[in-house]
Structure formats: structure tokens, C-alpha cells
Amino acid sequence: MDFESKALLKGQDPDLDIDLPLPQRLPSLALPQQPSPPWPLPITYPGERISWTPCGTLANRTLECSNLTVPMDQFSPANTLDLTKNFTIPLIRLRSNKTTTSSQPLPNILLNPGGPGGSGTEFIHRRGAQLAAILGDGFHLLGFDPRGVNQSLPAASCFPTQQFRQDLSVVRNKKILEDSGELWAWTSGLVQACADNMGEHGHYINTPQTAADMNSILEAVGQEGLYYWGFSYGTLLGQTYASLFPERVERVVIDGVANQFDWYGRVLDAEMMADTDRVFEGFVEECMKAGEEDCALAGMAGGKEELWEVVVKGMERLREEPVGVYVNNTMFGVLDYWAVWYEGVFTALYKPANWRELASNLSQLLKGNATAAYMAYGRENAWDSEGDALKFISLNDGASGAAKWPVDRMGLVDELLPFFNQSMFASSEYDFYFAKQAWAVPKTHNYVPKRGVKTAHPLLLLTTTYDPVCPLISARSAQDAFEESKIIEVKGYGHCSLAVPSLCIAQHVRDFFYEGKLPDENVQCEADGKPYFSKPDEDKALLEVQALSVDEQKTRLAQLELARDSWLKPWKTW
């Protein structure tokens, strides 16, 4: 993900206002006068054990940054004595403007945007303003880069430099049978490079260690109980924390819930795509309901079944016959099935607010004009380093290595094919499972998920009815694991509750964080407005005619912005 400057400012959100004073010169004759410091002075707060440096403003709130050093192995007392065996965790806090006393400081809500590999510091910069609008002034929002991620040190990487990544990452990995020989051979070198490049630190980049790191963060800010909102992979981190440290669970929200039993214990995440094809069917159904004026594909078929065939068969043709696209002498290339189906269609299943754009691009492509689809989906960075953190965390957590998998290429392919046939989108994980089979980093954690965990305060579980990668059935599994937890379901499609605006779910989240309130039973919330195939200006116009309070309008606007943002998307394995 993008990250701001060398420390915190690369990929700056347009709402972010950085106001750092420039170094000043001494007046030529004013010898007694001392120069102003070139950077803001560190700030400390009563009860906290770290200092913070102001690093900008966001939505009229102060941003402050810090770093925290944690042991390489949080579960080994001996490791705390070796200063060379540690990770540095970047922190950023969006402070509330609410005035408090030192005896009753505001809680910090820790955030994780998913992945694994998502940057919590970038998340604050990018969408902290919207989350603050939903949550109100009662909390500070604290983002952190988990160990191995983004600007944490050392960051997970399988290559010593970006140039080596580009030179060594050329491998065909699209066609399951045809490319399996090359991918098998190349992956054996990749996983060894991952192990060699990270050394001993690579052994400890996993979710249980990050859960323990969150205790270090709490101790640094003088907070006993965990306040937390985790999305997607962040729900696995939240479940792991709640199982390891149930006595410190104060307010834990997990949103877009993944199955931790599959994650840690099974070679294949069989449950993950239980509803993926149903979300694609929802895209087709809602398109036909919207009509051609709002969904450009609707005019290409007489009903949802026919439209489904039009799109799927069009993609099959693209698989056999990729399309050349020329924009100008600096921008041209090939648009193939894998770019459109996975970067375009699959990614859009996460965010229904973007279905209108997807339909327009597909309509033009199916009518013979591939330019818009190429511009949107065909120019992804082929050498993105985000996938290294994903590999280390996922494969160090789960059932990885040849001892748990078939030891030959065709045996692996034979095991994967039935799994891939469960969903039209499942083979997006093709290269990931080759790495999982060959993974060479030794597993160092012994965490095993449990059922019937009694936490200090029950968890709140958020979900949509049809999530493309974290299905409702996984939220029910988590509810079974944590006593008295409750599910709030937004009736609709998309990944995590923020995929579709709902004031109902926002109110439940506020009630939980402020008062610890949970419903007596699981609850369904309606989606608000026009969640599918709407225009941004239509959404804002609808706000003006509805009888909403100022606070409700701010919340709805924040939800609309979050619903259109691509911060939740499929994470690349390399």
C-alpha cells in the first residue's frame, strides 16, 4: 500500500494537511538567541511510556507519530535481553479534540485494515477522517504497521533490492496446468530466497507475535484493555488476540470475519470463497434491476441468466484471445482474461459502490473497445513488494511446508483442482498455494484456536450477507468460538460492513465502543440509500432530501466515501 514520505508521508491523502516548520537561521547579531528546532519537539502524556512527534493534521485533528521497539520473540523471556533481536513498529495516532483529565484519558482504538500486509499507519492517513466521523470524539484512533509490514523494521522481503525483485520475478503463473511446471521450479527458489533474505527475523513474522505486540502498544500508551476494530485479515488478528489474552478484551470489533480454524489448521481455506460466486450473481441481478441507464451491461441481455452468460462467455473468449491495446507511444500493452477477471471483476466484488464503473468497462470491452478496461485493470505493478508480508504472515501462521502437502508437482495440482472448481474466482490463489507447499521458513508459534473462549467483554462481529472472501458462515464460526459475542449483519453484498452504507450498523458500533452495548440476539441492518449502481452525486443529493441530523449526515457521508474507496481489495501474493 502507499505510505507517506520516507517515514510517514508517501502517497499523501488529499485531505491531509502537513504543517511542519522549516529550519530557521539565527539573526546575524543576535548571539544570545537560540535557533528554533527544525522539527516539532516530542510530546509525552501522563501515564504513557513513549513520546510522540506531531506529524500533521487530518480533519481538524492532530496527527502524532512514534516508533515502538518490541522483542523479536514476544513469548521468549530471553529475547527481551538481546537488543539486536527486535522489530521496530511505526505508530500513528489521530487524536480526538475532546478535552479530558489525566485521571480519565480517552481510550485508544487500535486499527488493522486487513491483508495480511495492510499498513495501519497508511490507513489512518487515508481513511482516519471517515472512521473518526463514524466513531465520534470519544476516542483516539491508533494505527500501526504490524511487524514485517510496510515501514516496520525489518520489513518482510524476499529480495535484497527492488531491482533484484524485477530481475528475478519473471514467471508464468496464470494457467493452472500449462504453467505449473515453471511455477513449481521457480517457487523452490523463491521460498529459499525469502528464508535467506530475512534470516531469523523471518521466523517470527506471524499473527500470534503481532497480537502480543498489541500488548506492548497498550502498555506504551498506558491502557489496560484493548479497544480494537479489525477488518478482513484484521479479524484473524482480533480473534487470535482474544484467544491469547481474553482478560484484556475490552471492546473488540471484527469486521468481515475470516475463519481462524481454517487459517491456522487447514492446508486450503475452503470456506473463504463460499459466497464469492453469489456476489457475482448479485452484481448481475442488481445490474438488470438498475437498467441500462445506470448499468451499461443491462442492455446486452434480456434477463439476469442471459447477462451472466454474456459476461462469462466474453471472459472465456478473452482467455483464448487476449486483446492488444494502444493508447499512445508511452502506453500500450495486452489486456488478458486474468487482468479483467481478477483485477477487475473479482476486485469489484469487494466494493459494490464501484459496480457502475465495472459494468461500463465490461460493456465497452464486450463491444470491442478495450481501452477503458486496459486503463483500469491492465497496468498493475508487476513487482509489488506488498505480497512479501502477506506470504510471511500467512505461511508462517498456517499449515505450510512439504510435510503437510503432496511432495510432487502433479500431486499438488491434483489437490488444488477440486478446490479451484468450487468458485469461478478460486484460482486467484494459484501461486500462493505453490508457495505454501514449498515454504522453507520454520514455524515458531504453537497457537491453536479454541472454542468457547470467555473474554472480559464479548466481541462484536460485523458482516454483510454475502461477502466475497469472508462469508457469513465464518462469522458464525467466530461466534461459536467466543462466548456471548453477537453478529450484526448488513443485508447486502461486499467485503466488510463498510462496503455498503448503513446508519443502523454505525449506531451499533458506537453503542458498543462507548457503552459496551450488544444486542440480545444477532441483528440484521438494512443498507441505506442506493448501494448499487448509483452515481456519487446521486448519493449526496439523497443526503440533502433525507431528514437526517447533522451527525447522521456526517456518518452517512463518511460511509459513502469508505464504500467507494479501494482500501479493501484482494491482496497480491507477489
Side-chain angles (χ1 to χ4, degrees):
M1 299 179 75
D2 288 339
F3 197 72
E4 315 236 349
S5 112
K6 189 178 285 186
L8 285 169
L9 308 176
K10 176 181 169 189
Q12 180 173 317
D13 188 286
D15 295 330
L16 181 62
D17 177 21
I18 300 298
D19 187 16
L20 301 180
L22 295 174
Q24 298 180 10
R25 297 179 178 177
L26 280 172
S28 57
L29 298 177
L31 296 178
Q33 184 173 342
Q34 297 297 316
S36 298
W39 302 108
L41 294 174
I43 301 170
T44 57
Y45 297 95
E48 297 193 352
R49 300 179 183 178
I50 56 173
S51 60
W52 298 86
T53 301
C55 52
T57 59
L58 181 63
N60 296 317
R61 294 188 180 199
T62 298
L63 285 167
E64 49 193 17
C65 300
S66 189
N67 289 295
L68 183 66
T69 300
V70 297
M72 184 174 71
D73 183 1
Q74 285 274 16
F75 301 99
S76 170
N79 188 212
T80 61
L81 304 176
D82 189 339
L83 298 180
T84 67
K85 294 185 176 183
N86 56 54
F87 285 89
T88 300
I89 308 297
L91 310 176
I92 186 168
R93 181 160 64 182
L94 182 60
R95 289 192 66 82
S96 169
N97 291 322
K98 186 175 181 180
T99 303
T100 59
T101 63
S102 58
S103 60
Q104 287 187 317
L106 293 181
N108 297 272
I109 298 179
L110 275 62
L111 300 170
N112 183 281
S119 163
T121 53
E122 193 271 349
F123 189 41
I124 288 284
H125 278 300
R126 181 166 178 161
R127 286 305 171 200
Q130 288 74 27
L131 293 172
I134 292 171
L135 291 167
D137 293 329
F139 310 94
H140 308 307
L141 303 186
L142 199 161
F144 65 100
D145 286 351
R147 56 172 61 203
V149 173
N150 199 39
Q151 294 292 312
S152 67
L153 294 173
S157 178
C158 296
F159 302 90
T161 68
Q162 187 69 1
Q163 187 60 52
F164 277 112
R165 181 184 302 280
Q166 294 186 26
D167 293 342
L168 298 172
S169 293
V170 180
V171 60
R172 287 176 291 188
N173 58 359
K174 295 177 177 179
K175 297 182 179 181
I176 296 172
L177 292 176
E178 296 91 325
D179 295 344
S180 64
E182 182 176 336
L183 182 59
W184 174 270
W186 179 80
T187 300
S188 65
L190 171 74
V191 298
Q192 192 59 54
C194 295
D196 291 348
N197 199 58
M198 290 305 298
E200 190 179 9
H201 279 88
H203 303 181
Y204 298 94
I205 299 174
N206 61 48
T207 302
Q209 292 285 350
T210 297
D213 291 343
M214 293 202 294
N215 278 343
S216 296
I217 295 172
L218 292 179
E219 288 153 11
V221 298
Q223 185 170 314
E224 177 61 29
L226 177 68
Y227 284 64
Y228 176 79
W229 194 352
F231 302 88
S232 194
Y233 160 78
T235 69
L236 292 164
L237 177 57
Q239 291 174 78
T240 304
Y241 183 95
S243 298
L244 289 171
F245 312 107
E247 73 284 355
R248 298 192 72 166
V249 171
E250 191 69 26
R251 302 283 189 273
V252 169
V253 176
I254 54 176
D255 192 339
V257 185
N259 187 315
Q260 65 163 333
F261 298 94
D262 284 2
W263 179 264
Y264 285 105
R266 299 183 65 173
V267 292
L268 297 170
D269 299 321
E271 192 173 279
M272 182 175 73
M273 290 190 165
D275 288 336
T276 313
D277 291 6
R278 181 65 186 88
V279 182
F280 177 65
E281 292 169 7
F283 164 73
V284 172
E285 290 173 10
E286 295 297 334
C287 175
M288 295 307 299
K289 290 179 185 177
E292 191 172 3
E293 182 178 348
D294 288 326
C295 177
L297 285 169
M300 302 183 71
K304 61 183 182 181
E305 293 84 3
E306 183 182 354
L307 181 57
W308 187 94
E309 282 199 24
V310 166
V311 174
V312 171
K313 288 184 177 179
M315 294 301 100
E316 290 173 353
R317 289 193 300 271
L318 192 62
R319 183 199 294 265
E320 300 304 321
E321 296 288 342
V323 178
V325 179
Y326 184 87
V327 180
N328 56 44
N329 63 352
T330 66
M331 190 179 299
F332 59 91
V334 175
L335 182 69
D336 63 19
Y337 161 85
W338 291 270
V340 178
W341 192 243
Y342 295 116
E343 298 295 338
V345 179
F346 183 43
T347 298
L349 300 185
Y350 283 55
K351 290 287 185 178
N354 298 330
W355 284 1
R356 184 187 186 94
E357 178 187 0
L358 172 67
S360 175
N361 293 338
L362 290 180
S363 174
Q364 292 178 61
L365 174 62
L366 294 172
K367 292 175 181 178
N369 183 351
T371 302
Y374 174 75
M375 296 293 289
Y377 319 126
R379 302 185 301 135
E380 287 292 314
N381 183 357
W383 298 289
D384 199 329
S385 61
E386 291 174 3
D388 288 357
L390 183 148
K391 281 195 291 293
F392 271 93
I393 298 167
S394 302
L395 304 184
N396 284 348
D397 279 359
S400 306
K404 297 180 173 64
W405 289 80
V407 296
D408 63 286
R409 173 177 64 89
M410 286 311 299
L412 175 60
V413 170
D414 289 342
E415 179 149 346
L416 291 175
L417 282 174
F419 171 66
F420 291 160
N421 288 334
Q422 292 180 4
S423 167
M424 296 185 294
F425 301 92
S427 61
S428 64
E429 302 292 313
Y430 175 43
D431 47 14
F432 172 80
Y433 285 114
F434 270 63
K436 192 170 186 179
Q437 185 276 342
W439 194 239
V441 177
K443 183 176 181 178
T444 58
H445 77 83
N446 58 5
Y447 174 74
V448 177
K450 298 178 292 185
R451 300 190 186 277
V453 176
K454 177 70 173 178
T455 52
H457 193 282
L459 278 64
L460 178 61
L461 320 178
L462 307 182
T463 182
T464 58
T465 306
Y466 300 107
D467 188 305
V469 287
C470 293
L472 177 56
I473 189 174
S474 296
R476 292 173 178 151
S477 173
Q479 185 173 32
D480 184 49
F482 298 99
E483 292 185 6
E484 300 180 41
S485 57
K486 294 294 186 292
I487 297 173
I488 310 292
E489 171 196 339
V490 185
K491 294 167 67 176
Y493 305 98
H495 185 37
C496 300
S497 70
L498 297 180
V500 284
S502 171
L503 288 176
C504 166
I505 206 161
Q507 189 59 56
H508 278 290
V509 169
R510 276 202 181 191
D511 289 345
F512 180 74
F513 273 120
Y514 281 91
E515 303 173 36
K517 289 175 59 176
L518 285 165
D520 294 331
E521 304 293 337
N522 295 341
V523 170
Q524 286 186 321
C525 285
E526 297 290 340
D528 294 334
K530 185 181 176 183
Y532 316 113
F533 296 99
S534 63
K535 302 174 185 176
D537 55 347
E538 288 178 336
D539 294 330
K540 293 180 180 179
L542 187 61
L543 278 177
E544 295 174 359
V545 300
Q546 290 182 318
L548 300 176
S549 68
V550 173
D551 186 59
E552 288 173 332
Q553 288 186 26
K554 288 180 180 178
T555 299
R556 175 74 68 79
L557 184 59
Q559 288 182 322
L560 289 170
E561 292 171 352
L562 286 164
R564 292 192 179 278
D565 193 3
S566 61
W567 61 273
L568 278 175
K569 60 184 179 181
W571 294 80
K572 295 182 179 180
T573 52
W574 58 67

